[in-house]
Each structure stands twice: as C-alpha cells, then as structure tokens.
Short mmCIF file of all heavy atoms in Angstrom, two decimals:
data_model
loop_
_atom_site.label_atom_id
_atom_site.label_comp_id
_atom_site.label_asym_id
_atom_site.label_seq_id
_atom_site.Cartn_x
_atom_site.Cartn_y
_atom_site.Cartn_z
N MET A 1 -29.05 -109.64 20.74
CA MET A 1 -29.73 -109.86 22.02
C MET A 1 -29.30 -111.17 22.66
O MET A 1 -29.84 -111.60 23.65
CB MET A 1 -31.24 -109.87 21.80
CG MET A 1 -31.79 -108.53 21.33
SD MET A 1 -32.02 -107.33 22.64
CE MET A 1 -33.62 -107.81 23.31
N ASN A 2 -28.38 -111.81 22.05
CA ASN A 2 -27.94 -113.08 22.59
C ASN A 2 -26.91 -112.86 23.69
O ASN A 2 -25.98 -112.11 23.54
CB ASN A 2 -27.33 -113.94 21.48
CG ASN A 2 -27.79 -115.37 21.58
OD1 ASN A 2 -28.45 -115.75 22.55
ND2 ASN A 2 -27.43 -116.18 20.61
N ASN A 3 -27.12 -113.54 24.79
CA ASN A 3 -26.22 -113.37 25.92
C ASN A 3 -25.07 -114.37 25.86
O ASN A 3 -25.05 -115.36 26.56
CB ASN A 3 -27.02 -113.55 27.23
CG ASN A 3 -26.78 -112.40 28.18
OD1 ASN A 3 -25.95 -111.53 27.92
ND2 ASN A 3 -27.50 -112.38 29.27
N THR A 4 -24.14 -114.09 25.02
CA THR A 4 -22.99 -115.00 24.93
C THR A 4 -22.06 -114.76 26.11
O THR A 4 -21.77 -113.64 26.46
CB THR A 4 -22.23 -114.80 23.60
OG1 THR A 4 -22.02 -113.42 23.41
CG2 THR A 4 -23.05 -115.36 22.45
N ARG A 5 -21.59 -115.83 26.65
CA ARG A 5 -20.75 -115.71 27.85
C ARG A 5 -19.29 -115.99 27.53
O ARG A 5 -18.67 -116.85 28.11
CB ARG A 5 -21.24 -116.68 28.92
CG ARG A 5 -22.61 -116.30 29.44
CD ARG A 5 -22.74 -116.73 30.87
NE ARG A 5 -23.96 -116.17 31.47
CZ ARG A 5 -24.31 -116.37 32.72
NH1 ARG A 5 -23.54 -117.10 33.50
NH2 ARG A 5 -25.39 -115.82 33.23
N SER A 6 -18.77 -115.29 26.57
CA SER A 6 -17.36 -115.47 26.26
C SER A 6 -16.48 -114.80 27.31
O SER A 6 -15.41 -115.27 27.63
CB SER A 6 -17.03 -114.94 24.88
OG SER A 6 -17.50 -113.62 24.76
N GLU A 7 -16.98 -113.69 27.87
CA GLU A 7 -16.21 -113.00 28.90
C GLU A 7 -16.47 -113.66 30.24
O GLU A 7 -17.60 -113.98 30.60
CB GLU A 7 -16.64 -111.53 28.98
CG GLU A 7 -16.18 -110.73 27.81
CD GLU A 7 -14.70 -110.33 27.93
OE1 GLU A 7 -14.24 -110.20 29.06
OE2 GLU A 7 -14.04 -110.20 26.91
N LYS A 8 -15.41 -113.84 30.98
CA LYS A 8 -15.56 -114.40 32.31
C LYS A 8 -16.00 -113.30 33.28
O LYS A 8 -15.52 -112.19 33.22
CB LYS A 8 -14.21 -114.95 32.78
CG LYS A 8 -13.73 -116.09 31.90
CD LYS A 8 -13.99 -117.41 32.55
CE LYS A 8 -13.35 -118.53 31.73
NZ LYS A 8 -13.70 -119.84 32.23
N ILE A 9 -16.89 -113.67 34.14
CA ILE A 9 -17.34 -112.73 35.17
C ILE A 9 -16.78 -113.17 36.51
O ILE A 9 -16.79 -114.35 36.84
CB ILE A 9 -18.88 -112.67 35.21
CG1 ILE A 9 -19.39 -112.01 33.92
CG2 ILE A 9 -19.36 -111.91 36.44
CD1 ILE A 9 -20.89 -112.01 33.79
N CYS A 10 -16.29 -112.23 37.27
CA CYS A 10 -15.70 -112.56 38.56
C CYS A 10 -16.74 -113.16 39.49
O CYS A 10 -17.76 -112.53 39.76
CB CYS A 10 -15.10 -111.30 39.18
SG CYS A 10 -14.49 -111.60 40.85
N PRO A 11 -16.53 -114.37 39.96
CA PRO A 11 -17.49 -115.03 40.87
C PRO A 11 -17.49 -114.38 42.26
O PRO A 11 -18.38 -114.66 43.06
CB PRO A 11 -17.01 -116.47 40.92
CG PRO A 11 -15.58 -116.41 40.55
CD PRO A 11 -15.37 -115.21 39.67
N HIS A 12 -16.52 -113.58 42.50
CA HIS A 12 -16.39 -112.99 43.83
C HIS A 12 -17.10 -111.64 43.93
O HIS A 12 -17.90 -111.42 44.84
CB HIS A 12 -14.92 -112.84 44.19
CG HIS A 12 -14.69 -112.44 45.61
ND1 HIS A 12 -14.83 -113.33 46.67
CD2 HIS A 12 -14.34 -111.25 46.16
CE1 HIS A 12 -14.56 -112.68 47.79
NE2 HIS A 12 -14.26 -111.43 47.51
N CYS A 13 -16.86 -110.74 42.99
CA CYS A 13 -17.46 -109.40 43.07
C CYS A 13 -18.30 -109.09 41.84
O CYS A 13 -18.82 -107.99 41.71
CB CYS A 13 -16.36 -108.35 43.25
SG CYS A 13 -15.41 -108.05 41.77
N ALA A 14 -18.41 -110.04 40.91
CA ALA A 14 -19.26 -109.89 39.72
C ALA A 14 -18.78 -108.80 38.76
O ALA A 14 -19.53 -108.28 37.97
CB ALA A 14 -20.72 -109.66 40.09
N ALA A 15 -17.52 -108.47 38.84
CA ALA A 15 -16.95 -107.56 37.85
C ALA A 15 -17.02 -108.20 36.48
O ALA A 15 -16.75 -109.39 36.33
CB ALA A 15 -15.51 -107.22 38.20
N PRO A 16 -17.43 -107.44 35.47
CA PRO A 16 -17.71 -108.04 34.16
C PRO A 16 -16.46 -108.41 33.37
O PRO A 16 -16.56 -109.03 32.33
CB PRO A 16 -18.50 -106.95 33.43
CG PRO A 16 -18.08 -105.69 34.10
CD PRO A 16 -17.75 -106.04 35.53
N LYS A 17 -15.32 -108.04 33.84
CA LYS A 17 -14.13 -108.36 33.05
C LYS A 17 -13.01 -108.89 33.93
O LYS A 17 -12.70 -108.33 34.97
CB LYS A 17 -13.64 -107.12 32.31
CG LYS A 17 -12.56 -107.47 31.31
CD LYS A 17 -12.10 -106.28 30.53
CE LYS A 17 -11.02 -106.72 29.54
NZ LYS A 17 -10.39 -105.59 28.90
N MET A 18 -12.43 -110.00 33.47
CA MET A 18 -11.27 -110.54 34.17
C MET A 18 -10.11 -110.56 33.19
O MET A 18 -10.26 -110.85 32.02
CB MET A 18 -11.58 -111.94 34.69
CG MET A 18 -12.71 -111.93 35.68
SD MET A 18 -12.88 -113.50 36.58
CE MET A 18 -11.56 -113.36 37.76
N LYS A 19 -8.95 -110.26 33.72
CA LYS A 19 -7.77 -110.16 32.87
C LYS A 19 -7.00 -111.47 32.89
O LYS A 19 -6.92 -112.14 33.92
CB LYS A 19 -6.87 -109.04 33.35
CG LYS A 19 -7.46 -107.66 33.10
CD LYS A 19 -6.44 -106.61 33.35
CE LYS A 19 -6.87 -105.29 32.69
NZ LYS A 19 -5.78 -104.31 32.70
N SER A 20 -6.39 -111.80 31.77
CA SER A 20 -5.47 -112.91 31.76
C SER A 20 -4.08 -112.41 32.15
O SER A 20 -3.83 -111.20 32.17
CB SER A 20 -5.45 -113.59 30.40
OG SER A 20 -5.15 -112.65 29.40
N TRP A 21 -3.21 -113.33 32.43
CA TRP A 21 -1.89 -112.97 32.96
C TRP A 21 -1.15 -111.98 32.05
O TRP A 21 -0.56 -111.01 32.51
CB TRP A 21 -1.06 -114.25 33.15
CG TRP A 21 0.31 -113.99 33.63
CD1 TRP A 21 1.45 -113.97 32.88
CD2 TRP A 21 0.72 -113.68 34.98
NE1 TRP A 21 2.51 -113.68 33.69
CE2 TRP A 21 2.09 -113.50 34.98
CE3 TRP A 21 0.00 -113.55 36.18
CZ2 TRP A 21 2.81 -113.19 36.13
CZ3 TRP A 21 0.69 -113.25 37.34
CH2 TRP A 21 2.10 -113.07 37.31
N HIS A 22 -1.21 -112.20 30.75
CA HIS A 22 -0.46 -111.32 29.86
C HIS A 22 -1.10 -109.95 29.69
O HIS A 22 -0.53 -109.06 29.07
CB HIS A 22 -0.19 -112.01 28.50
CG HIS A 22 -1.44 -112.27 27.71
ND1 HIS A 22 -2.08 -113.47 27.73
CD2 HIS A 22 -2.17 -111.47 26.89
CE1 HIS A 22 -3.15 -113.40 26.93
NE2 HIS A 22 -3.24 -112.21 26.42
N ASP A 23 -2.31 -109.79 30.22
CA ASP A 23 -2.94 -108.48 30.19
C ASP A 23 -2.50 -107.60 31.37
O ASP A 23 -2.74 -106.40 31.38
CB ASP A 23 -4.47 -108.61 30.26
CG ASP A 23 -5.04 -109.12 28.95
OD1 ASP A 23 -4.43 -108.86 27.88
OD2 ASP A 23 -6.07 -109.78 28.98
N LEU A 24 -1.90 -108.24 32.33
CA LEU A 24 -1.49 -107.51 33.53
C LEU A 24 -0.16 -106.80 33.26
O LEU A 24 0.69 -107.33 32.56
CB LEU A 24 -1.33 -108.47 34.71
CG LEU A 24 -2.54 -109.32 35.08
CD1 LEU A 24 -2.17 -110.27 36.21
CD2 LEU A 24 -3.72 -108.46 35.49
N ASP A 25 0.00 -105.62 33.86
CA ASP A 25 1.31 -104.98 33.77
C ASP A 25 2.20 -105.48 34.92
O ASP A 25 1.74 -106.22 35.79
CB ASP A 25 1.19 -103.45 33.72
CG ASP A 25 0.53 -102.87 34.96
OD1 ASP A 25 0.69 -103.45 36.06
OD2 ASP A 25 -0.16 -101.85 34.82
N ASP A 26 3.43 -105.06 34.93
CA ASP A 26 4.37 -105.58 35.90
C ASP A 26 3.94 -105.36 37.34
O ASP A 26 4.09 -106.23 38.20
CB ASP A 26 5.75 -104.96 35.68
CG ASP A 26 6.43 -105.53 34.45
OD1 ASP A 26 5.97 -106.60 33.98
OD2 ASP A 26 7.39 -104.93 33.96
N GLU A 27 3.38 -104.21 37.57
CA GLU A 27 2.94 -103.89 38.93
C GLU A 27 1.81 -104.82 39.36
O GLU A 27 1.76 -105.27 40.50
CB GLU A 27 2.48 -102.44 38.96
CG GLU A 27 2.37 -101.86 40.35
CD GLU A 27 1.98 -100.41 40.34
OE1 GLU A 27 2.53 -99.64 39.52
OE2 GLU A 27 1.09 -100.05 41.11
N GLN A 28 0.92 -105.11 38.43
CA GLN A 28 -0.22 -105.98 38.74
C GLN A 28 0.23 -107.44 38.93
O GLN A 28 -0.27 -108.14 39.80
CB GLN A 28 -1.26 -105.89 37.62
CG GLN A 28 -1.95 -104.53 37.61
CD GLN A 28 -2.85 -104.38 36.41
OE1 GLN A 28 -2.53 -104.73 35.30
NE2 GLN A 28 -4.04 -103.83 36.63
N LYS A 29 1.21 -107.85 38.16
CA LYS A 29 1.74 -109.22 38.33
C LYS A 29 2.39 -109.36 39.69
O LYS A 29 2.23 -110.36 40.39
CB LYS A 29 2.75 -109.51 37.22
CG LYS A 29 2.11 -109.72 35.87
CD LYS A 29 3.16 -109.88 34.80
CE LYS A 29 2.48 -110.01 33.44
NZ LYS A 29 3.45 -109.95 32.33
N PHE A 30 3.12 -108.34 40.06
CA PHE A 30 3.77 -108.31 41.37
C PHE A 30 2.72 -108.43 42.47
O PHE A 30 2.87 -109.18 43.43
CB PHE A 30 4.56 -106.99 41.50
CG PHE A 30 5.26 -106.85 42.82
CD1 PHE A 30 6.44 -107.53 43.06
CD2 PHE A 30 4.76 -106.01 43.79
CE1 PHE A 30 7.09 -107.39 44.27
CE2 PHE A 30 5.41 -105.86 45.01
CZ PHE A 30 6.59 -106.55 45.23
N LEU A 31 1.65 -107.68 42.30
CA LEU A 31 0.57 -107.67 43.27
C LEU A 31 -0.10 -109.05 43.37
O LEU A 31 -0.30 -109.57 44.46
CB LEU A 31 -0.45 -106.64 42.81
CG LEU A 31 -1.27 -105.90 43.85
CD1 LEU A 31 -1.64 -104.52 43.30
CD2 LEU A 31 -2.54 -106.64 44.19
N VAL A 32 -0.37 -109.63 42.22
CA VAL A 32 -1.01 -110.95 42.19
C VAL A 32 -0.15 -112.01 42.86
O VAL A 32 -0.63 -112.86 43.60
CB VAL A 32 -1.32 -111.34 40.72
CG1 VAL A 32 -1.63 -112.83 40.60
CG2 VAL A 32 -2.49 -110.53 40.20
N GLU A 33 1.16 -111.92 42.61
CA GLU A 33 2.06 -112.91 43.18
C GLU A 33 2.12 -112.84 44.70
O GLU A 33 2.53 -113.77 45.36
CB GLU A 33 3.46 -112.76 42.58
CG GLU A 33 3.51 -113.28 41.15
CD GLU A 33 4.92 -113.20 40.58
OE1 GLU A 33 5.66 -112.27 40.95
OE2 GLU A 33 5.26 -114.04 39.77
N ARG A 34 1.74 -111.72 45.21
CA ARG A 34 1.79 -111.53 46.67
C ARG A 34 0.47 -111.75 47.36
O ARG A 34 0.36 -111.56 48.56
CB ARG A 34 2.34 -110.15 46.99
CG ARG A 34 3.76 -109.98 46.53
CD ARG A 34 4.30 -108.62 46.88
NE ARG A 34 4.52 -108.48 48.30
CZ ARG A 34 5.68 -108.75 48.90
NH1 ARG A 34 6.69 -109.19 48.19
NH2 ARG A 34 5.83 -108.59 50.19
N LEU A 35 -0.54 -112.17 46.59
CA LEU A 35 -1.80 -112.47 47.22
C LEU A 35 -1.63 -113.65 48.18
O LEU A 35 -1.18 -114.71 47.77
CB LEU A 35 -2.85 -112.86 46.16
CG LEU A 35 -3.31 -111.72 45.24
CD1 LEU A 35 -4.25 -112.26 44.17
CD2 LEU A 35 -4.00 -110.61 46.00
N PRO A 36 -1.97 -113.47 49.44
CA PRO A 36 -1.67 -114.49 50.45
C PRO A 36 -2.38 -115.81 50.20
O PRO A 36 -1.84 -116.88 50.51
CB PRO A 36 -2.14 -113.85 51.75
CG PRO A 36 -3.07 -112.77 51.35
CD PRO A 36 -2.62 -112.30 50.00
N ARG A 37 -3.56 -115.79 49.62
CA ARG A 37 -4.30 -117.03 49.48
C ARG A 37 -3.89 -117.78 48.22
O ARG A 37 -4.35 -118.88 47.97
CB ARG A 37 -5.80 -116.76 49.47
CG ARG A 37 -6.23 -115.92 48.30
CD ARG A 37 -7.72 -115.99 48.05
NE ARG A 37 -8.02 -115.24 46.84
CZ ARG A 37 -8.73 -114.13 46.80
NH1 ARG A 37 -9.27 -113.66 47.87
NH2 ARG A 37 -8.93 -113.50 45.66
N ASN A 38 -3.03 -117.17 47.42
CA ASN A 38 -2.72 -117.75 46.11
C ASN A 38 -1.30 -118.25 46.01
O ASN A 38 -0.75 -118.43 44.94
CB ASN A 38 -2.98 -116.72 45.01
CG ASN A 38 -4.46 -116.47 44.82
OD1 ASN A 38 -5.28 -117.28 45.23
ND2 ASN A 38 -4.81 -115.37 44.24
N THR A 39 -0.66 -118.46 47.13
CA THR A 39 0.74 -118.87 47.11
C THR A 39 0.95 -120.28 46.58
O THR A 39 2.06 -120.68 46.32
CB THR A 39 1.34 -118.78 48.52
OG1 THR A 39 0.47 -119.44 49.41
CG2 THR A 39 1.50 -117.33 48.96
N GLU A 40 -0.13 -121.04 46.44
CA GLU A 40 -0.01 -122.41 45.97
C GLU A 40 0.24 -122.51 44.46
O GLU A 40 0.63 -123.53 43.95
CB GLU A 40 -1.28 -123.19 46.32
CG GLU A 40 -2.50 -122.67 45.56
CD GLU A 40 -3.80 -123.01 46.29
OE1 GLU A 40 -4.21 -122.26 47.17
OE2 GLU A 40 -4.37 -124.05 45.96
N PHE A 41 0.03 -121.40 43.76
CA PHE A 41 0.17 -121.43 42.31
C PHE A 41 1.57 -121.00 41.87
O PHE A 41 2.16 -120.08 42.43
CB PHE A 41 -0.85 -120.49 41.67
CG PHE A 41 -2.28 -120.88 41.95
CD1 PHE A 41 -3.11 -119.98 42.59
CD2 PHE A 41 -2.76 -122.10 41.55
CE1 PHE A 41 -4.43 -120.32 42.86
CE2 PHE A 41 -4.07 -122.45 41.83
CZ PHE A 41 -4.91 -121.55 42.48
N THR A 42 2.05 -121.67 40.87
CA THR A 42 3.32 -121.25 40.27
C THR A 42 3.03 -120.22 39.19
O THR A 42 1.89 -120.04 38.75
CB THR A 42 4.02 -122.45 39.62
OG1 THR A 42 3.25 -122.89 38.51
CG2 THR A 42 4.19 -123.57 40.61
N ARG A 43 4.06 -119.55 38.74
CA ARG A 43 3.88 -118.56 37.69
C ARG A 43 3.38 -119.21 36.39
O ARG A 43 2.57 -118.64 35.66
CB ARG A 43 5.21 -117.86 37.44
CG ARG A 43 5.10 -116.69 36.51
CD ARG A 43 6.44 -116.02 36.34
NE ARG A 43 6.65 -115.02 37.39
CZ ARG A 43 6.93 -113.75 37.13
NH1 ARG A 43 7.04 -113.34 35.89
NH2 ARG A 43 7.11 -112.90 38.11
N GLU A 44 3.82 -120.43 36.13
CA GLU A 44 3.36 -121.13 34.94
C GLU A 44 1.86 -121.41 35.00
O GLU A 44 1.15 -121.27 34.01
CB GLU A 44 4.11 -122.47 34.78
CG GLU A 44 5.48 -122.31 34.13
CD GLU A 44 5.41 -121.56 32.81
OE1 GLU A 44 4.64 -121.99 31.93
OE2 GLU A 44 6.08 -120.52 32.67
N GLN A 45 1.38 -121.78 36.18
CA GLN A 45 -0.05 -122.01 36.34
C GLN A 45 -0.83 -120.73 36.17
O GLN A 45 -1.90 -120.70 35.59
CB GLN A 45 -0.32 -122.59 37.72
CG GLN A 45 0.09 -124.04 37.88
CD GLN A 45 -0.11 -124.53 39.30
OE1 GLN A 45 0.59 -124.15 40.21
NE2 GLN A 45 -1.11 -125.37 39.48
N ARG A 46 -0.27 -119.66 36.68
CA ARG A 46 -0.95 -118.35 36.63
C ARG A 46 -1.19 -117.88 35.21
O ARG A 46 -2.13 -117.16 34.94
CB ARG A 46 -0.08 -117.31 37.33
CG ARG A 46 -0.06 -117.49 38.81
CD ARG A 46 -0.08 -116.12 39.46
NE ARG A 46 -0.75 -116.18 40.71
CZ ARG A 46 -0.10 -116.50 41.86
NH1 ARG A 46 1.17 -116.70 41.86
NH2 ARG A 46 -0.80 -116.58 42.96
N LYS A 47 -0.35 -118.28 34.30
CA LYS A 47 -0.50 -117.83 32.93
C LYS A 47 -1.77 -118.36 32.30
O LYS A 47 -2.23 -117.87 31.28
CB LYS A 47 0.72 -118.26 32.10
CG LYS A 47 1.94 -117.45 32.47
CD LYS A 47 3.17 -117.88 31.69
CE LYS A 47 4.35 -117.04 32.12
NZ LYS A 47 5.61 -117.52 31.52
N LYS A 48 -2.35 -119.38 32.91
CA LYS A 48 -3.62 -119.92 32.41
C LYS A 48 -4.80 -119.42 33.22
O LYS A 48 -5.94 -119.75 32.93
CB LYS A 48 -3.58 -121.45 32.48
CG LYS A 48 -2.44 -122.05 31.71
CD LYS A 48 -2.42 -123.56 31.96
CE LYS A 48 -1.06 -124.15 31.64
NZ LYS A 48 -0.86 -125.44 32.33
N HIS A 49 -4.52 -118.64 34.23
CA HIS A 49 -5.59 -118.15 35.08
C HIS A 49 -6.11 -116.81 34.63
O HIS A 49 -5.52 -116.15 33.78
CB HIS A 49 -5.07 -118.00 36.52
CG HIS A 49 -4.75 -119.31 37.17
ND1 HIS A 49 -4.15 -119.38 38.40
CD2 HIS A 49 -4.94 -120.57 36.75
CE1 HIS A 49 -3.99 -120.65 38.71
NE2 HIS A 49 -4.45 -121.41 37.73
N ARG A 50 -7.23 -116.41 35.24
CA ARG A 50 -7.77 -115.08 34.98
C ARG A 50 -7.88 -114.33 36.29
O ARG A 50 -8.16 -114.92 37.32
CB ARG A 50 -9.13 -115.16 34.30
CG ARG A 50 -9.05 -115.81 32.94
CD ARG A 50 -10.13 -115.29 32.04
NE ARG A 50 -9.86 -115.69 30.67
CZ ARG A 50 -9.91 -114.82 29.67
NH1 ARG A 50 -10.23 -113.58 29.87
NH2 ARG A 50 -9.67 -115.22 28.45
N PHE A 51 -7.72 -113.03 36.19
CA PHE A 51 -7.67 -112.22 37.40
C PHE A 51 -8.67 -111.09 37.34
O PHE A 51 -8.81 -110.41 36.32
CB PHE A 51 -6.25 -111.66 37.60
CG PHE A 51 -5.20 -112.73 37.59
CD1 PHE A 51 -4.59 -113.09 36.40
CD2 PHE A 51 -4.87 -113.40 38.74
CE1 PHE A 51 -3.63 -114.08 36.35
CE2 PHE A 51 -3.91 -114.41 38.71
CZ PHE A 51 -3.29 -114.74 37.52
N CYS A 52 -9.34 -110.89 38.46
CA CYS A 52 -10.26 -109.76 38.58
C CYS A 52 -9.45 -108.54 39.00
O CYS A 52 -8.77 -108.58 40.01
CB CYS A 52 -11.34 -110.05 39.60
SG CYS A 52 -12.40 -108.63 39.91
N GLU A 53 -9.53 -107.47 38.24
CA GLU A 53 -8.73 -106.30 38.60
C GLU A 53 -9.43 -105.45 39.65
O GLU A 53 -8.92 -104.45 40.10
CB GLU A 53 -8.38 -105.46 37.38
CG GLU A 53 -9.56 -104.95 36.60
CD GLU A 53 -9.10 -104.16 35.38
OE1 GLU A 53 -8.01 -103.59 35.42
OE2 GLU A 53 -9.85 -104.11 34.39
N ARG A 54 -10.60 -105.84 40.06
CA ARG A 54 -11.29 -105.11 41.12
C ARG A 54 -10.97 -105.70 42.50
O ARG A 54 -10.62 -105.01 43.44
CB ARG A 54 -12.80 -105.15 40.87
CG ARG A 54 -13.54 -104.09 41.68
CD ARG A 54 -15.03 -104.30 41.66
NE ARG A 54 -15.63 -103.92 40.38
CZ ARG A 54 -16.92 -104.10 40.10
NH1 ARG A 54 -17.72 -104.66 41.00
NH2 ARG A 54 -17.41 -103.74 38.95
N CYS A 55 -11.10 -107.04 42.63
CA CYS A 55 -10.87 -107.65 43.95
C CYS A 55 -9.69 -108.63 43.92
O CYS A 55 -9.36 -109.22 44.90
CB CYS A 55 -12.14 -108.36 44.42
SG CYS A 55 -12.52 -109.87 43.49
N TRP A 56 -9.09 -108.82 42.74
CA TRP A 56 -7.94 -109.72 42.55
C TRP A 56 -8.26 -111.17 42.87
O TRP A 56 -7.40 -111.93 43.33
CB TRP A 56 -6.71 -109.22 43.33
CG TRP A 56 -6.25 -107.95 42.72
CD1 TRP A 56 -6.31 -106.72 43.29
CD2 TRP A 56 -5.73 -107.75 41.41
NE1 TRP A 56 -5.85 -105.78 42.41
CE2 TRP A 56 -5.50 -106.38 41.25
CE3 TRP A 56 -5.45 -108.61 40.33
CZ2 TRP A 56 -5.00 -105.84 40.08
CZ3 TRP A 56 -4.95 -108.06 39.17
CH2 TRP A 56 -4.73 -106.70 39.05
N PHE A 57 -9.49 -111.54 42.64
CA PHE A 57 -9.83 -112.95 42.69
C PHE A 57 -9.11 -113.66 41.55
O PHE A 57 -9.05 -113.15 40.43
CB PHE A 57 -11.34 -113.12 42.57
CG PHE A 57 -11.81 -114.54 42.64
CD1 PHE A 57 -12.03 -115.12 43.88
CD2 PHE A 57 -12.01 -115.28 41.49
CE1 PHE A 57 -12.46 -116.45 43.95
CE2 PHE A 57 -12.43 -116.61 41.56
CZ PHE A 57 -12.65 -117.18 42.80
N GLU A 58 -8.57 -114.82 41.85
CA GLU A 58 -7.86 -115.58 40.84
C GLU A 58 -8.71 -116.76 40.38
O GLU A 58 -9.03 -117.64 41.16
CB GLU A 58 -6.52 -116.06 41.39
CG GLU A 58 -5.68 -116.77 40.35
CD GLU A 58 -4.23 -116.93 40.82
OE1 GLU A 58 -3.91 -116.46 41.92
OE2 GLU A 58 -3.48 -117.56 40.08
N LEU A 59 -9.08 -116.73 39.12
CA LEU A 59 -9.93 -117.78 38.59
C LEU A 59 -9.07 -118.81 37.88
O LEU A 59 -8.33 -118.49 36.95
CB LEU A 59 -10.94 -117.19 37.60
CG LEU A 59 -11.99 -118.16 37.08
CD1 LEU A 59 -12.98 -118.54 38.17
CD2 LEU A 59 -12.74 -117.54 35.91
N THR A 60 -9.17 -120.04 38.33
CA THR A 60 -8.38 -121.11 37.72
C THR A 60 -9.21 -121.88 36.70
O THR A 60 -10.44 -121.83 36.73
CB THR A 60 -7.89 -122.09 38.80
OG1 THR A 60 -9.01 -122.81 39.30
CG2 THR A 60 -7.24 -121.35 39.94
N ASP A 61 -8.55 -122.55 35.81
CA ASP A 61 -9.26 -123.33 34.79
C ASP A 61 -10.02 -124.49 35.41
O ASP A 61 -11.00 -124.94 34.89
CB ASP A 61 -8.27 -123.87 33.76
CG ASP A 61 -7.91 -122.79 32.76
OD1 ASP A 61 -8.69 -121.82 32.66
OD2 ASP A 61 -6.87 -122.90 32.12
N SER A 62 -9.50 -124.98 36.52
CA SER A 62 -10.11 -126.15 37.14
C SER A 62 -11.21 -125.77 38.14
O SER A 62 -11.66 -126.59 38.92
CB SER A 62 -9.04 -126.98 37.86
OG SER A 62 -8.33 -126.16 38.75
N GLN A 63 -11.60 -124.51 38.08
CA GLN A 63 -12.60 -123.97 39.01
C GLN A 63 -13.87 -124.82 39.00
O GLN A 63 -14.45 -125.09 40.04
CB GLN A 63 -12.95 -122.53 38.61
CG GLN A 63 -13.65 -121.78 39.72
CD GLN A 63 -12.64 -121.13 40.66
OE1 GLN A 63 -11.45 -121.25 40.45
NE2 GLN A 63 -13.11 -120.48 41.68
N GLU A 64 -14.29 -125.24 37.82
CA GLU A 64 -15.56 -125.96 37.71
C GLU A 64 -15.50 -127.37 38.29
O GLU A 64 -16.51 -127.97 38.56
CB GLU A 64 -16.01 -126.02 36.25
CG GLU A 64 -14.97 -126.64 35.37
CD GLU A 64 -15.02 -126.02 33.96
OE1 GLU A 64 -14.63 -124.86 33.81
OE2 GLU A 64 -15.49 -126.70 33.05
N THR A 65 -14.32 -127.90 38.47
CA THR A 65 -14.21 -129.23 39.05
C THR A 65 -14.33 -129.20 40.57
O THR A 65 -14.47 -130.21 41.20
CB THR A 65 -12.87 -129.90 38.67
OG1 THR A 65 -11.81 -129.14 39.20
CG2 THR A 65 -12.73 -129.99 37.17
N LYS A 66 -14.27 -127.98 41.10
CA LYS A 66 -14.44 -127.85 42.55
C LYS A 66 -15.87 -128.14 42.96
O LYS A 66 -16.81 -127.77 42.24
CB LYS A 66 -14.08 -126.44 42.97
CG LYS A 66 -12.63 -126.29 43.38
CD LYS A 66 -12.41 -124.91 43.97
CE LYS A 66 -10.94 -124.75 44.40
NZ LYS A 66 -10.69 -123.38 44.86
N VAL A 67 -16.04 -128.73 44.07
CA VAL A 67 -17.38 -129.04 44.55
C VAL A 67 -18.02 -127.82 45.19
O VAL A 67 -17.39 -127.15 45.96
CB VAL A 67 -17.36 -130.19 45.57
CG1 VAL A 67 -18.78 -130.49 46.05
CG2 VAL A 67 -16.70 -131.41 44.98
ZN1 ZN B 101 -13.67 -109.53 41.56
#
C-alpha cells in the first residue's frame, strides 16, 4: 500500500509511464528529435531525459531546478 514514486509521471498529461531514450525505437527517436520545442537539446542530453509516449513531453533531469 505504499505509494513509491519510482516511476516518473508525465507533468503534462499525467501519463503514468515515461520512457527513457533507450526505450524508444528508431521511429520514436526520430519523432522526439523533431519536436519543435526541444531543439535546444543534444542527443547526448536526451539520453538522460525521459519521454512521455502519449504527449511527447520531454522531462529533463534539471526539471526541479526550474522555478
Ligand atoms: Zn504526457
């Protein structure tokens, strides 16, 4: 009954599962790389990010440092 929060939840659409870069297939990686709002990230940075497969929100590790 313990609500452990090991899984990341998408802050955008509340999807219960976010994928890491290596969980994505080639088509999904291609799609993520073409997200217009995410052009500031390099592929190396993306490998540390998590992605919502419902709305393709990109969650960065430094998300919590944002105000
Ligand atoms: Zn989402």
Side-chain angles (χ1 to χ4, degrees):
M1 295 280 278
N2 222 354
N3 231 354
T4 48
R5 293 210 170 182
S6 52
E7 289 282 330
K8 297 259 187 187
I9 291 175
C10 175
H12 189 75
C13 74
K17 190 178 181 188
M18 299 192 78
K19 289 191 163 191
S20 55
W21 178 259
H22 66 263
D23 287 331
L24 304 176
D25 60 33
D26 286 344
E27 196 177 316
Q28 291 173 316
K29 288 175 183 171
F30 180 77
L31 211 151
V32 165
E33 286 183 328
R34 295 181 71 91
L35 291 175
R37 63 163 185 246
N38 289 340
T39 49
E40 66 204 86
F41 298 120
T42 66
R43 189 179 273 236
E44 278 307 304
Q45 286 177 289
R46 288 219 149 87
K47 288 179 181 173
K48 303 174 200 159
H49 293 174
R50 297 208 167 229
F51 306 91
C52 174
E53 58 182 332
R54 197 192 285 176
C55 71
W56 293 112
F57 182 85
E58 184 166 357
L59 186 71
T60 69
D61 280 340
S62 54
Q63 197 87 1
E64 56 212 71
T65 63
K66 268 188 180 175
V67 179

